[in-house]
Amino acid sequence: MITKTMTISEILRRHPETLPIFERYGLDCFDCQIADYEELEHGASVHKVDIDTLLAELNRSITV
């Protein structure tokens, strides 16, 4: 399960299938050095993305 306190790079390492969702929301943080340190909630906030919507979509997309 993905949580809002996970870093963006951690999410992408564990669940690479989430990349299209990050791209669709304009969160190109995966290509940035800060992705190793930036929590999902902060990245969403900076890009004015609703964290609850993003989190729900990310969790629906992961392959368990």
Side-chain angles (χ1 to χ4, degrees), residues 8-9 12 19-20 22-23 26-33 35 38:
I8 293 169
S9 62
L12 287 166
L19 180 60
F22 281 102
E23 291 174 330
L27 292 165
D28 54 357
C29 309
F30 55 85
D31 205 25
C32 173
Q33 295 169 346
E38 185 170 41

Side-chain angles (χ1 to χ4, degrees), residues 10-62:
E10 177 183 6
I11 295 166
L12 287 166
R13 265 194 316 275
R14 291 183 184 187
H15 307 287
E17 67 273 21
T18 61
L19 180 60
I21 296 166
F22 281 102
E23 291 174 330
R24 186 168 50 252
Y25 281 93
L27 292 165
D28 54 357
C29 309
F30 55 85
D31 205 25
C32 173
Q33 295 169 346
I34 200 167
D36 289 334
Y37 310 102
E38 185 170 41
E39 292 182 351
L40 179 63
E41 185 171 33
H42 182 262
S45 172
V46 168
H47 291 276
K48 297 180 178 29
V49 172
D50 179 74
I51 185 61
D52 294 323
T53 302
L54 175 61
L55 198 53
E57 193 166 336
L58 288 169
N59 276 306
R60 277 194 304 270
S61 75
I62 61 175

